[in-house]
Amino acid sequence: MKIYHLKRTQVLPITLTEAWDFFSTPRNLSRITPEHMGFKILYSSGGEKTYAGQIIRYKVSILPFITLHWVTEITHVKEPFYFVDEQRFGPYALWHHQHIFKEVPGGVEMTDELNYAIPLGILGRFAHWVFVGREVNRIFDYRFTVLEKFFSDKKVTPLAKTA
C-alpha cells in the first residue's frame, strides 16, 4: 500500500485559545471545505467540542452524482496543542490527520499533517495520480485561502520575549 503525505503550515493572527476554539469545533469543518463537495456533518457524538473517542459521520460529494459517507474518530487530543482524526469507514484505506497548534510571534502556527492511502492497489495509485492527489491539495489550498480571509481582521499581541 502506497502512503501519501501532505503537510501544510499556516500562521494565523489569532491566539492559541481562538485557534483551538475554532478548529476543535466539528461544525466549523463545513466553513473550510469547498462548497462543491457538499460536505455535511450527519452526526457528532458528545456535543460541540472535540474529545478523544469522538465519532463524526459526514456526507461528502467527490464528483457530481457520487456521494460518500465517511466516519472519523478523534483519537488523540491535547488541548490546546493538537488533535488527531482517523478514518474508521470511508473512501481511504488510511486517513490519519494531525492538527497541530503552536503559539508564535504574531499568532498561531497551524500545521496540518496528513498521511493517507487509497485502496485498490494499482488502480488506487492511478486514481491518486489522476484525481485524488490534486483534489486533496485543492482542499487544503482552499482552506488556506478561507482561513486567511476569515482571520484577516484579527490582531494578536506579540509574544513576550524571554530572557
Side-chain angles (χ1 to χ4, degrees), residues 58-77:
Y58 317 91
K59 178 179 79 169
V60 62
S61 297
I62 57 167
L63 291 170
F65 314 113
I66 300 177
T67 299
L68 299 174
H69 289 263
W70 193 350
V71 177
T72 58
E73 178 181 357
I74 305 300
T75 57
H76 301 82
V77 175

Side-chain angles (χ1 to χ4, degrees), residues 58-153:
Y58 317 91
K59 178 179 79 169
V60 62
S61 297
I62 57 167
L63 291 170
F65 314 113
I66 300 177
T67 299
L68 299 174
H69 289 263
W70 193 350
V71 177
T72 58
E73 178 181 357
I74 305 300
T75 57
H76 301 82
V77 175
K78 184 172 182 185
E79 183 176 343
F81 303 108
Y82 68 84
F83 66 93
V84 178
D85 66 87
E86 295 183 24
Q87 176 188 283
R88 289 296 169 246
F89 302 99
Y92 295 91
L94 169 73
W95 180 273
H96 183 271
H97 182 189
Q98 299 176 69
H99 308 256
I100 303 162
F101 309 98
K102 176 182 167 188
E103 194 171 25
V104 296
V108 170
E109 179 183 88
M110 180 193 69
T111 301
D112 284 295
E113 188 155 358
L114 174 62
N115 288 284
Y116 66 101
I118 312 298
L120 305 175
I122 194 76
L123 289 175
R125 286 184 186 202
F126 181 72
H128 187 268
W129 179 71
V130 169
F131 172 74
V132 177
R134 289 185 191 125
E135 189 61 21
V136 169
N137 274 288
R138 274 193 284 254
I139 291 166
F140 282 90
D141 289 345
Y142 178 85
R143 287 182 178 185
F144 186 97
T145 301
V146 166
L147 291 168
E148 284 284 314
K149 289 177 186 170
F150 188 76
F151 292 114
S152 66
D153 63 342

